[in-house]
Amino acid sequence: MKIFAASAFLSNMLVEKPENLDILLSADVARPTKTQEEFMREMSDIAAKSADYEQTLDNMRRYKKQELFRIGTKDLLGELSSEDVSTQISSLAGASLETAYGMATKELVAKYGTPGDERFIVLGLGKLGGGELIYGSDLDIIFVYAENPGFPETSGPKVVSNHEFYAHAAQKMISILSLRTNEGFLFNVDARLRPSGSSGPLVVSKAALLDYQREKASVWERQALTRASAVAGDKGFGLDVMEELSDIVYSKELPKEDVSELLRIRKRMEDEIAKETETRFDIKAGKGGMVDVEFLAQALLLK
C-alpha cells in the first residue's frame, strides 16, 4: 500500500515485474544495505552464469532494476537515510563499472593479448566521484591508463598500442553500461569531462592528464576534480593518480578572475537550465538551489 500510495517509479516496477514481490518477502534479499563487494560478487556471478553476451546484458539490467526496487522500497519505508541510498546506488554503479571492465578486457585480451602495462582506472566525477548518486543519475567518468615506454603495445595475437587497447576497452564498457536492450540499460555514461572534452581522446594517459590539469585546465575543470575518486580498475594506480591530481588542484590560489568565471558559469546555468519564472522553480539549478551549495563548497575547497 505504501509503494502504490507514494511512488509511481516503484509501483511501475512492481506492475511490470510482479516477481519483485519476492524481494519484499525475502529477509535475505531485502536487507537494507549491501557492501560494494557484495554487489560485485552478485554482478560477477550473473556475468559468469549467463549463456552469451546478449543474455549477460539483459541479466545485468534485471539485477540493477531489482536492486533499485530493493533500495527504493527500503528508502520509502524509512529504513535507509538519504546518505545510505546514495551509498547503495554508488556501490551498485561501481560494481557495474568493474564488471563491465572485466567483460571488456576479457574479450580484448583474446583478440590483442595483454597490454604492455595493465594499470588502468576509471575516475568518477560529480555524484559518482562523491559517492552521492541518486535514482536516475548519470555516471561522469574519465578513463586513465599508465604509459610504459618499455612495453608500449599488446602481446598479440594482433598487436595494437596500449592506448588503442584501452580506447577499445572504454568504448566496450560504455556499450555494456548504456546500450538499451529489452531490459533497459544499466547507467548512462558521460565522458565529456575528460581533457579537451568531446574533442579529446576517449582515454588519456596519466602523464597527459596531469600535464593538462597543470597547464591548460580551466577553473571549472579544477572544480570538477574536487569530487573525483577512483571507482573501478587498479585501485592502487588510482590512489597514485588521485594523489598527484590533488597536488595540482590544490596547489594554487583561487584568483578573483576564477571566482568571476565560476559566477558566470553559475548564472548561465540559472538562465539556460533552470529557466525559472514567477511560477516555475528549479530546486537543483535555480537561484538558491542545490548547485549554489555545491559551487560554494567547491570554491571554498579550491580557496
Side-chain angles (χ1 to χ4, degrees):
M1 289 301 295
K2 285 186 177 181
I3 287 172
F4 283 112
S7 173
F9 171 67
L10 295 176
S11 300
N12 287 333
M13 293 181 78
L14 195 52
V15 170
E16 291 170 8
K17 297 285 183 181
E19 58 268 31
N20 279 329
L21 189 62
D22 294 340
I23 297 171
L24 305 180
L25 302 176
S26 168
D28 181 57
V29 175
R31 287 177 296 141
T33 62
K34 292 181 180 180
T35 65
Q36 182 162 342
E37 289 70 26
E38 288 176 296
F39 282 120
M40 185 69 217
R41 184 169 59 250
E42 291 170 356
M43 190 78 84
S44 297
D45 285 347
I46 288 169
K49 294 175 181 177
S50 300
D52 53 37
Y53 180 74
E54 286 72 22
Q55 188 183 86
T56 302
L57 296 188
D58 281 341
N59 288 343
M60 290 171 72
R61 283 149 178 74
R62 277 192 287 268
Y63 173 75
K64 184 240 182 169
K65 288 192 284 189
Q66 170 189 300
E67 287 303 305
L68 279 187
F69 184 76
R70 176 185 66 81
I71 294 165
T73 301
K74 294 301 180 182
D75 182 8
L76 190 61
L77 295 176
E79 296 180 34
L80 294 175
S81 67
S82 57
E83 292 86 354
D84 290 334
V85 170
S86 288
T87 298
Q88 288 293 283
I89 299 174
S90 299
S91 295
L92 176 60
S96 300
L97 284 162
E98 288 282 11
T99 304
Y101 178 54
M103 291 171 62
T105 52
K106 181 179 180 181
E107 179 179 322
L108 292 170
V109 166
K111 185 175 183 180
Y112 300 117
T114 56
D117 195 314
E118 296 186 68
R119 290 175 294 166
F120 173 86
I121 57 157
V122 180
L123 281 184
L125 303 171
K127 283 183 167 58
L128 174 62
E132 303 162 5
L133 289 183
I134 57 176
Y135 307 103
S137 290
D138 294 346
L139 306 185
D140 294 317
I141 56 179
I142 300 176
F143 300 103
V144 187
Y145 68 96
E147 283 185 315
N148 189 334
F151 300 93
E153 57 190 21
T154 61
S155 60
K158 181 181 178 181
V159 175
V160 296
S161 68
N162 292 341
H163 177 89
E164 187 175 349
F165 179 92
Y166 288 120
H168 286 309
Q171 290 165 348
K172 193 70 176 177
M173 288 176 68
I174 291 173
S175 176
I176 291 168
L177 293 164
S178 60
L179 183 69
R180 279 158 173 75
T181 72
N182 290 335
E183 294 292 337
F185 65 100
L186 278 174
F187 291 94
N188 284 321
V189 174
D190 189 343
R192 291 175 296 175
L193 289 174
R194 64 188 185 269
S196 300
S198 299
S199 62
L202 181 58
V203 297
V204 61
S205 70
K206 173 187 171 183
L209 174 65
L210 296 177
D211 286 345
Y212 179 87
Q213 291 298 330
R214 197 179 290 113
E215 299 169 9
K216 298 180 181 179
S218 303
V219 62
W220 66 265
E221 291 173 298
R222 287 177 61 206
Q223 179 191 8
L225 288 177
T226 61
R227 298 166 83 185
S229 64
V231 293
D234 185 327
K235 294 299 177 66
F237 176 55
L239 289 174
D240 291 341
V241 173
M242 282 306 308
E243 186 174 334
E244 294 191 52
L245 276 177
S246 294
D247 288 342
I248 295 170
V249 170
Y250 300 115
S251 65
K252 49 188 175 183
E253 296 295 322
L254 187 66
K256 288 183 178 180
E257 55 266 28
D258 281 354
V259 175
S260 297
E261 176 63 8
L262 290 177
L263 287 169
R264 185 193 68 80
I265 294 170
R266 179 66 190 101
K267 182 65 167 63
R268 186 176 172 185
M269 293 175 71
E270 287 182 17
D271 295 341
E272 298 181 11
I273 298 176
K275 298 179 181 177
E276 291 185 309
T277 66
E278 290 184 0
T279 57
R280 183 183 188 278
F281 299 93
D282 188 319
I283 195 171
K284 180 180 179 181
K287 190 172 183 178
M290 292 164 58
V291 174
D292 277 327
V293 179
E294 294 178 354
F295 267 57
L296 179 58
Q298 290 156 12
L300 289 170
L301 281 169
L302 294 176
K303 181 176 174 63

